[in-house]
Amino acid sequence: MTTPDAHPQPAARPRLGVFKFASCDGCQLTLLDCEDELLGIAAELEIAHFAEASSDAAPGPYDLVLVEGSISTPEHLDRIRRVRADSRHLVTIGACATAGGVQALRNHADVEEYLATVYARPDYIATLATSTPVSAHVPVDFELRGCPIDRGQLLEVITAFLAGRRPGIPNHSVCFACKRRGNVCVTVAHGTPCLGPVTHAGCGALCPTYGRGCYGCFGPAGTTNLPALVPLLHRDGMSEEDVGRFLHTFNTAAFAAVEEQGPGVTGAEGAE
């Protein structure tokens, strides 16, 4: 007769992996900045691989993987494919992973010229001609925007994974967040150039709240009307070159893709 185990083993916790590619580490640090909530996350998830937090890196497979950074080198290509193969769910976090990041400015220029200018021995450097989002190379289950990402949205993504549902991340523009905070519109009231009408919400309208125009840190919103916005930017004193530089920063590749969809919008050449 088999005697039931008086002390059954607890169910294994889902395994979390956090990986970095070409980036500044800021989005990974957002997870560490969760502070009080981090203890609760650690109780529900086994943090198996997170170099920013521990040198004890366990191999896959992983139930949830958070990936920061763009794909910018041949080594990145090989590694992201291995990470994807080891991941049940893969979420990209931040502008670098979701849109190529500020380093995607290379996409509008000659990367060989950059190499010759920056490095004494460019023949030692292995790089790709472009900086691209993770989704350009492997399937991605969810993209979390931002430069850096918002800690509240990150917690929502992790909580949604644990609950087996899709994250409830809004896809509206920063203008909605401004209205919710009761902000006076910096463009209407002060003639301040602002990308809020075409930028994905998530920052809580931080810059407009303190009297500055939105810089587009979270990339294009779900629906954008750049052809309508650009004349307003010109009205508020921006030249064609200024508009190009305004659009081509943290999410240059994402805004460039939106520009290609409609006439009358400054093209990628404005960033050169």
Side-chain angles (χ1 to χ4, degrees), residues 139-190:
V140 169
D141 297 299
F142 192 80
E143 293 185 322
L144 187 62
R145 312 277 194 87
C147 186
I149 56 174
D150 175 74
R151 63 188 293 275
Q153 289 194 346
L154 177 60
L155 290 170
E156 164 61 17
V157 167
I158 295 174
T159 301
F161 164 77
L162 292 171
R165 60 174 174 80
R166 188 163 181 81
I169 304 297
N171 200 23
H172 52 243
S173 72
V174 171
C175 289
F176 281 80
C178 266
K179 293 180 185 300
R180 288 174 176 170
R181 295 191 66 156
N183 291 342
V184 173
C185 178
V186 295
T187 296
V188 173
H190 307 296

Side-chain angles (χ1 to χ4, degrees), residues 10 14 66 83 103 113 117-118 125 142 146 152 173 175 180 204 209 213 228 243 248 255-256:
L66 305 177
V83 170
Q103 57 269 33
E113 182 181 350
T117 301
V118 174
I125 306 300
F142 192 80
S173 72
C175 289
R180 288 174 176 170
T209 297
V243 173
H248 300 133
F255 277 115

Side-chain angles (χ1 to χ4, degrees), residues 106 108-120 122 127 129 272:
R106 74 166 77 173
H108 308 309
D110 182 357
V111 70
E112 296 300 326
E113 182 181 350
Y114 280 159
L115 289 173
T117 301
V118 174
Y119 299 99
T127 187
E272 294 181 1

Side-chain angles (χ1 to χ4, degrees), residues 50-221:
F50 187 7
E52 197 71 52
S54 172
S55 59
D56 186 14
Y62 309 100
D63 295 289
L64 174 64
V65 161
L66 305 177
V67 176
E68 174 192 85
S70 66
I71 306 304
S72 300
T73 70
E75 185 272 337
H76 288 165
L77 275 174
D78 293 337
R79 187 154 59 93
I80 192 58
R81 288 165 181 157
R82 294 196 302 270
V83 170
R84 175 71 263 192
D86 277 342
S87 309
R88 183 181 174 197
H89 300 284
L90 188 147
V91 175
T92 50
I93 57 173
C96 294
T98 62
V102 70
Q103 57 269 33
L105 286 168
R106 74 166 77 173
N107 301 2
H108 308 309
D110 182 357
V111 70
E112 296 300 326
E113 182 181 350
Y114 280 159
L115 289 173
T117 301
V118 174
Y119 299 99
R121 289 296 304 270
D123 51 310
Y124 287 179
I125 306 300
T127 187
L128 299 173
T130 58
S131 175
T132 48
V134 172
S135 61
H137 307 284
V138 298
V140 169
D141 297 299
F142 192 80
E143 293 185 322
L144 187 62
R145 312 277 194 87
C147 186
I149 56 174
D150 175 74
R151 63 188 293 275
Q153 289 194 346
L154 177 60
L155 290 170
E156 164 61 17
V157 167
I158 295 174
T159 301
F161 164 77
L162 292 171
R165 60 174 174 80
R166 188 163 181 81
I169 304 297
N171 200 23
H172 52 243
S173 72
V174 171
C175 289
F176 281 80
C178 266
K179 293 180 185 300
R180 288 174 176 170
R181 295 191 66 156
N183 291 342
V184 173
C185 178
V186 295
T187 296
V188 173
H190 307 296
T192 302
C194 181
L195 292 180
V198 297
T199 297
H200 194 288
C203 63
L206 182 63
C207 288
T209 297
Y210 290 94
R212 299 174 64 181
C214 170
Y215 288 89
C217 301
F218 278 65

Side-chain angles (χ1 to χ4, degrees), residues 18 24-35 38 50 52-53 68 93 148-149 151 154:
V18 183
C24 71
D25 287 29
C27 292
Q28 290 182 89
L29 290 174
T30 300
L31 178 56
L32 296 178
D33 287 343
C34 289
E35 297 177 344
L38 191 59
F50 187 7
E52 197 71 52
E68 174 192 85
I93 57 173
I149 56 174
R151 63 188 293 275
L154 177 60

